[in-house]
């Protein structure tokens, strides 16, 4: 690649899946990529540099040009509403966003309280349902809120469903499916179009291969 690309990677639950995808696309990452404490790491066979950021900050790095490209969960993107191009569904780290609460939770009223780390998304969802609720923003362990009476329900990510189950909560409504996406800074896309398109092309192939692999394993036929 002629020009160096800076890629913002989300530390945490998406990281392993994202690193695997990059390796599948032929990008040689150092052997300790997943375990290093370094925050800036270069690829070994191409002109790419990776910055390791908190997932919620990835859209910010890309929007402001700190990175040309980023990998971010759709949940984070829906909340951030950043001025970035979302160019590819990477199909990794699948989960969904849902409303959950205690099985016998009260019916919704105007005093209904919703705890979440996605305040904008939650407010938008209930507004679209024509319901007025009070949104309480927390930064983690959201499931605690209905257990200790801070909120009537939560809006949060459900992956395996284990956190809900182990805390005696149930899913009430699914809001949307979530996967990780490739995002691009609009100015970078103009200035480094050939290199970025080449990367998008490689990753698109990998995503297709992975999807085919999944179909064969499950025996499910997917419309292409
Ligand atoms: C996320 C999410 C749920 C949990 C869901 O939290 O907020 O709490 O994972 O996963 P599960 O369905 O597989 O149990 P995370 O682990 O990111 O930590 P947090 O509570 O600090 O947000």
């Amino acid at each position: 690649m002629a020009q160096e690309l800076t890629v913002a990677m989300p530390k945490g639950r998406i990281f392993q899946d994202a690193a695997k995808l990059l390796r599948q696309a032929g990008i040689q990452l150092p052997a300790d990529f997943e375990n290093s404490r370094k925050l800036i790491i270069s690829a070994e066979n191409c002109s790419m540099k990776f910055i390791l950021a908190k997932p919620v900050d990835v859209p910010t790095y890309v929007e402001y040009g700190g990175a040309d490209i980023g990998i971010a969960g759709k949940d984070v993107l829906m909340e951030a509403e950043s001025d970035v191009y979302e160019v590819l569904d990477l199909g990794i780290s699948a989960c969904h966003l849902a409303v959950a609460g205690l099985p016998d939770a009260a019916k919704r009223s105007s005093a209904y309280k919703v705890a979440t780390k996605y305040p904008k998304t939650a407010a938008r969802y209930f507004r679209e349902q024509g319901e007025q609720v009070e949104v309480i923003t927390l930064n983690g362990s959201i499931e605690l809120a209905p257990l200790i009476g801070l909120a009537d329900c939560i809006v949060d990510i459900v992956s395996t469903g284990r956190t809900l189950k182990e805390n005696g909560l149930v899913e009430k409504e699914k809001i949307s499916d979530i996967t990780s996406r490739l995002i691009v800074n609009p100015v970078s896309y103009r200035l480094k179009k050939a290199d970025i398109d080449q990367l998008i092309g490689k990753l698109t192939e990998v995503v297709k291969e992975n999807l085919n692999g999944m179909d064969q394993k499950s025996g499910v036929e997917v419309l292409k």
Side-chain angles (χ1 to χ4, degrees):
M1 284 179 186
Q3 287 172 291
E4 184 173 68
L5 293 182
T6 302
V7 183
M9 293 283 287
K11 290 197 286 185
R13 64 169 61 212
I14 301 177
F15 193 79
Q16 304 263 354
D17 287 347
K20 188 174 164 206
L21 208 69
L22 293 168
R23 288 200 167 96
Q24 281 180 288
I27 297 159
Q28 265 175 33
L29 303 169
D32 66 348
F33 189 68
E34 286 89 337
N35 302 315
S36 170
R37 301 300 288 250
K38 275 192 182 171
L39 298 175
I40 303 178
I41 301 177
S42 293
E44 292 173 340
N45 63 337
C46 60
S47 194
M48 284 178 80
K49 185 172 76 185
F50 297 88
I51 61 170
L52 278 50
K54 215 174 140 90
V56 74
D57 292 334
V58 167
T60 308
Y61 280 104
V62 176
E63 180 172 25
Y64 288 94
D68 302 304
I69 291 171
I71 293 178
K74 184 66 183 174
D75 52 329
V76 168
L77 293 173
M78 281 173 10
E79 186 66 21
E81 298 178 319
S82 306
D83 185 13
V84 297
Y85 295 153
E86 188 183 314
V87 293
L88 182 63
D89 182 346
L90 297 169
I92 55 170
S93 307
C95 55
H96 63 276
L97 195 65
V99 180
L102 287 163
D104 56 353
K107 277 205 165 320
R108 283 180 207 156
S109 66
S110 55
Y112 203 73
K113 293 192 182 76
V114 181
T116 185
K117 54 185 169 191
Y118 305 101
K120 282 197 233 165
T121 309
R124 197 185 309 126
Y125 175 73
F126 286 104
R127 201 169 45 241
E128 283 168 6
Q129 310 298 306
E131 296 178 57
Q132 244 194 341
V133 297
E134 184 180 342
V135 176
I136 300 172
T137 306
L138 296 173
N139 292 303
S141 301
I142 312 299
E143 291 82 358
L144 262 178
L147 298 180
I148 51 102
L150 181 70
D152 299 291
C153 75
I154 61 170
V155 166
D156 201 13
I157 289 297
V158 180
S159 178
T160 60
R162 201 175 145 197
T163 313
L164 288 183
K165 195 161 178 231
E166 291 193 7
N167 290 289
L169 301 174
V170 291
E171 189 174 324
K172 308 264 181 181
E173 289 156 44
K174 179 171 167 179
I175 298 180
S176 66
D177 285 313
I178 304 288
T179 46
S180 300
R181 312 295 165 103
L182 192 72
I183 57 172
V184 178
N185 173 281
V187 175
S188 299
Y189 193 54
R190 270 208 310 279
L191 299 177
K192 303 180 179 181
K193 190 171 187 315
D195 298 308
I196 292 174
D197 278 342
Q198 196 184 345
L199 177 67
I200 295 172
K202 281 186 198 163
L203 286 170
T204 302
E205 285 305 307
V206 171
V207 170
K208 270 194 211 153
E209 278 165 28
N210 289 349
L211 263 177
N212 285 336
M214 267 162 41
D215 302 344
Q216 274 161 22
K217 250 190 242 163
S218 64
V220 174
E221 196 184 334
V222 171
L223 294 174
K224 307 240 159 51

